[in-house]
Amino acid sequence: MQHVAPTYIVAVYGGVDSCVLLHMLINHDQLLERAVPEDATLIVAHVNHGIRTNTSDRDQAFVKSLAET
């Protein structure tokens, strides 16, 4: 049977908890109950609802930069 690398979609809104989760997934953190395979694909998802007029665009830009890094 051929190995198929898993794909994970990670919802990141820019807050500390979702950013830490992304960091842990990228670095295959030992604290995770089940390790994420190194060949896994991570897709960072962010939705800018525009609800917080002062910070929504800034959060989007931050998450985009974080994902590109």
Side-chain angles (χ1 to χ4, degrees):
M1 185 152 125
Q2 182 181 2
H3 169 74
V4 177
T7 298
Y8 298 94
I9 300 173
V10 185
V12 180
Y13 69 94
V16 70
D17 54 346
S18 64
C19 290
V20 168
L21 172 63
L22 181 60
H23 174 79
M24 289 175 72
L25 291 170
I26 289 170
N27 292 294
H28 313 286
D29 198 287
Q30 296 299 317
L31 295 175
L32 295 173
E33 233 178 86
R34 294 186 179 143
V36 175
E38 290 192 15
D39 61 348
T41 299
L42 295 177
I43 298 171
V44 177
H46 176 82
V47 176
N48 181 349
H49 294 284
I51 295 171
R52 295 177 306 175
T53 56
N54 294 335
T55 60
S56 292
D57 291 340
R58 185 175 46 197
D59 291 344
Q60 179 179 330
F62 171 73
V63 172
K64 182 179 183 209
S65 174
L66 185 63
E68 290 172 343
T69 304

